[in-house]
Amino acid sequence: MNIALIGAGNVGWHLAQALQKAGHTITPIYSRSKDTREELAKLVAAQPTASLNLQSSDAEAVLIAVPDAALAAVAAALQVKPGTIVAHTSGSQPLSILDAVHGARTGVFYPLQTFSKSKPVDFTQVPLLVEAQNESTRQQLQALGQSISHTVEAVESGARKQLHLAAVFACNFTNHLLGISRQLLQEADLPLHLLQPLIQETVAKVMQHNPYHVQTGPAIRHDQNVVEEHLQMLQQHPRLQEIYRLLTQSIQATPTKP
Amino acid sequence: MNIALIGAGNVGWHLAQALQKAGHTITPIYSRSKDTREELAKLVAAQPTASLNLQSSDAEAVLIAVPDAALAAVAAALQVKPGTIVAHTSGSQPLSILDAVHGARTGVFYPLQTFSKSKPVDFTQVPLLVEAQNESTRQQLQALGQSISHTVEAVESGARKQLHLAAVFACNFTNHLLGISRQLLQEADLPLHLLQPLIQETVAKVMQHNPYHVQTGPAIRHDQNVVEEHLQMLQQHPRLQEIYRLLTQSIQATPTKP
């Protein structure tokens, strides 16, 4: 397929490479930043562009991978040939935000994964959640998805939004807690590798069990002495104290038995 | 070595099996609960006991794996032959809590891992943090540790306490967030497997990067519309709203650049 890509951030970066690897032609690539669009275009043999008017492009599909907050403005400015598939890659935005794109067959092509440019991603393992304005568009997006991923599912806007909310807890907030734990090790000059088996086991366990049923630690044991001592140790970090207190309360208020 | 085990909870359960597998003799096993001590004793060919008087036992070392809150009382009640090694397995309690055990050579033997009876653990991958009242005891505990784990390190009480605090964030709190994300999927009848690649990638990423430097999601993008919508979606869950708000603030207040 000939695919145009709008956005060359973390998602566009990995998506473009996966699509090219699967044999698709990426062109053009739009990004507001000249350096960014030129860098990614070079990487996947595409043309960079500074224009959102793609009416003279051969693209059969346009994938929009811009920050959620920029999506409405991009949709309003984008111009495509009638009948072109235009899909965004956002977890939280509705399909209808693309109604502004005149003449387009609209859809959603949401890769449920965390992307950083510095970390390669095996796209075959990334679930792709697809939605479209009509059945033929959905089928084409589904086929496009299957060319790069083993897991492609049709999910409508409401369910996708809930999935995205769950992903914020499972990934973004979890990552922040792992950052805090690393900071606490660094402040005490402790070797970072000591926590790695624990982190890996925590995740291995939740692949097989409901996390609520395998909760461990001072909070679930209602070990108030240890909780108080930890809060004391965090007294230089009032925000971390607050997080510690709130998550301890939440663990203690959550039913643990199946 | 002949080893007595006090406590047959999550830690004792896995520790006893790892020690037996490495060729040590476990006997006796003490637990307040008759069923529990008999079940574990049967599993590792040990004698169960309801007494903390081990003066007539052949044990060269006594490992105490009881909840932190019970440790002082167990130390006060425990009786051993003079010269017996007595070590506790707690991350948060100081070595000195064992000063109450008359005539013992005291130490700490802390496995830095999360244990649930229902989930087998490869003990060779569990870091063991060792501390002792004197050098010969430390060496013996270190050798005992090396017989079951590839990673044994000498860590004194203060550093171990900090490591335990970091572990609460990295494991216990992370597990709770993963439980919340699962709950949100279940409430929307969404398939749980969709989040698994995301969870695995989140952890794979922090093995190579400082989490603060690879933070993704609406909070770090200051995408206030999405944040507000998520808070709205959580209105039936005031506690989860509070967690969402606090962690979003914390992400936004944390420096992200190397």
Side-chain angles (χ1 to χ4, degrees):
Chain A
M1 240 178 151
N2 290 329
I3 297 165
L5 182 65
I6 312 295
N10 290 330
V11 174
W13 188 262
H14 291 286
L15 191 54
Q17 294 179 70
L19 288 167
Q20 196 215 19
K21 210 173 135 195
H24 303 288
T25 301
I26 320 290
T27 191
I29 288 177
Y30 168 91
S31 166
R32 278 189 311 185
S33 150
K34 185 167 187 292
D35 285 357
T36 309
R37 67 179 177 252
E38 289 185 349
E39 193 184 1
L40 182 56
K42 201 170 161 191
L43 199 64
V44 297
Q47 287 298 317
T49 181
S51 164
L52 285 170
N53 184 342
L54 302 182
Q55 287 178 312
S56 62
S57 152
D58 289 333
E60 300 152 83
V62 180
L63 298 181
I64 309 178
V66 299
D68 291 350
L71 191 50
V74 165
L78 184 63
Q79 295 182 274
V80 297
K81 278 186 199 149
T84 307
I85 293 176
V86 175
H88 73 67
T89 58
S90 163
S92 68
Q93 299 303 305
L95 173 59
S96 60
I97 200 167
L98 298 179
D99 290 350
V101 188
H102 188 69
R105 294 156 60 206
T106 58
V108 177
F109 192 79
Y110 169 47
L112 179 51
Q113 190 49 285
T114 170
F115 299 101
S116 300
K117 285 188 180 177
S118 56
K119 168 95 174 50
V121 164
D122 175 4
F123 230 96
T124 63
Q125 302 303 314
V126 177
L128 276 165
L129 310 187
V130 165
E131 181 182 7
Q133 146 195 50
N134 59 41
E135 183 56 19
S136 72
T137 307
R138 195 189 60 69
Q139 280 175 10
Q140 279 183 275
L141 285 174
Q142 192 122 0
L144 182 64
Q146 280 158 353
S147 73
I148 57 174
S149 167
H150 295 326
T151 309
V152 183
E153 308 231 4
V155 174
E156 50 77 38
S157 291
R160 177 164 37 82
K161 225 158 67 173
Q162 180 80 0
L163 203 45
H164 182 246
L165 173 61
V168 168
F169 279 90
C171 167
N172 306 146
F173 291 167
T174 289
N175 180 73
H176 185 61
L177 293 185
L178 294 172
I180 292 169
S181 74
R182 183 182 167 118
Q183 177 188 338
L184 293 172
L185 289 187
Q186 283 177 326
E187 286 176 1
D189 277 328
L190 285 161
L192 301 177
H193 72 89
L194 284 181
L195 277 188
Q196 292 190 349
L198 178 68
I199 294 168
Q200 282 165 330
E201 175 68 9
T202 302
V203 162
K205 213 189 260 191
V206 306
M207 295 295 146
Q208 296 168 28
H209 296 83
N210 183 332
Y212 288 162
H213 301 164
V214 292
Q215 182 68 51
T216 59
I220 195 70
R221 289 196 303 268
H222 290 264
D223 199 335
Q224 206 52 36
N225 286 343
V226 174
V227 167
E228 289 303 329
E229 195 173 9
H230 282 169
L231 289 171
Q232 184 67 22
M233 289 164 73
L234 291 170
Q235 65 181 341
Q236 302 304 316
H237 299 296
R239 201 176 58 239
L240 301 190
Q241 262 186 341
E242 209 183 333
I243 292 172
Y244 189 105
R245 199 174 280 121
L246 182 59
L247 290 175
T248 294
Q249 283 164 4
S250 185
I251 288 169
Q252 292 177 345
T254 301
T256 54
K257 289 296 164 203
Chain B
M1 239 176 152
N2 290 329
I3 297 166
L5 181 65
I6 311 296
N10 290 330
V11 174
W13 187 261
H14 291 287
L15 190 54
Q17 294 179 69
L19 289 166
Q20 196 214 18
K21 209 172 133 193
H24 303 288
T25 301
I26 319 290
T27 193
I29 289 178
Y30 167 91
S31 165
R32 278 190 308 183
S33 150
K34 186 168 187 290
D35 285 357
T36 309
R37 69 182 175 249
E38 289 186 349
E39 193 184 2
L40 182 56
K42 201 170 161 188
L43 200 63
V44 298
Q47 286 298 316
T49 181
S51 165
L52 285 169
N53 184 342
L54 303 182
Q55 287 177 312
S56 61
S57 151
D58 289 335
E60 300 153 84
V62 179
L63 298 180
I64 308 177
V66 299
D68 290 352
L71 191 50
V74 165
L78 184 64
Q79 295 181 275
V80 297
K81 277 185 200 149
T84 306
I85 293 177
V86 175
H88 73 66
T89 58
S90 163
S92 68
Q93 299 304 305
L95 174 59
S96 60
I97 199 167
L98 297 179
D99 290 350
V101 188
H102 189 68
R105 295 155 62 204
T106 59
V108 177
F109 192 79
Y110 169 47
L112 179 50
Q113 189 50 282
T114 171
F115 297 101
S116 299
K117 286 189 180 177
S118 56
K119 169 96 174 50
V121 164
D122 175 4
F123 230 96
T124 63
Q125 303 303 313
V126 176
L128 276 166
L129 310 187
V130 165
E131 182 182 8
Q133 153 197 43
N134 60 42
E135 182 56 20
S136 72
T137 306
R138 195 190 60 68
Q139 281 175 9
Q140 278 183 276
L141 284 174
Q142 193 123 359
L144 181 63
Q146 281 159 352
S147 73
I148 56 173
S149 167
H150 295 327
T151 309
V152 183
E153 309 233 2
V155 173
E156 52 77 38
S157 292
R160 177 164 37 82
K161 224 158 67 173
Q162 181 81 1
L163 202 46
H164 182 245
L165 173 61
V168 168
F169 279 91
C171 167
N172 306 146
F173 290 168
T174 288
N175 180 73
H176 185 61
L177 293 184
L178 294 172
I180 292 170
S181 75
R182 182 182 168 119
Q183 177 189 338
L184 293 171
L185 290 188
Q186 283 177 326
E187 287 176 0
D189 277 326
L190 285 161
L192 302 176
H193 73 89
L194 284 180
L195 278 187
Q196 293 191 347
L198 178 68
I199 294 168
Q200 282 166 330
E201 176 67 11
T202 302
V203 162
K205 212 187 259 190
V206 306
M207 295 295 145
Q208 297 169 25
H209 296 84
N210 183 332
Y212 288 163
H213 301 163
V214 292
Q215 183 67 50
T216 59
I220 196 71
R221 291 196 302 268
H222 291 263
D223 199 334
Q224 206 52 34
N225 287 343
V226 174
V227 168
E228 290 302 331
E229 195 174 9
H230 282 170
L231 289 171
Q232 184 67 24
M233 289 164 72
L234 291 170
Q235 64 181 341
Q236 302 305 317
H237 298 298
R239 199 177 60 238
L240 302 190
Q241 263 188 339
E242 208 184 332
I243 292 172
Y244 189 103
R245 199 175 279 121
L246 182 58
L247 290 175
T248 295
Q249 284 166 4
S250 185
I251 289 170
Q252 293 177 345
T254 302
T256 55
K257 290 294 164 207

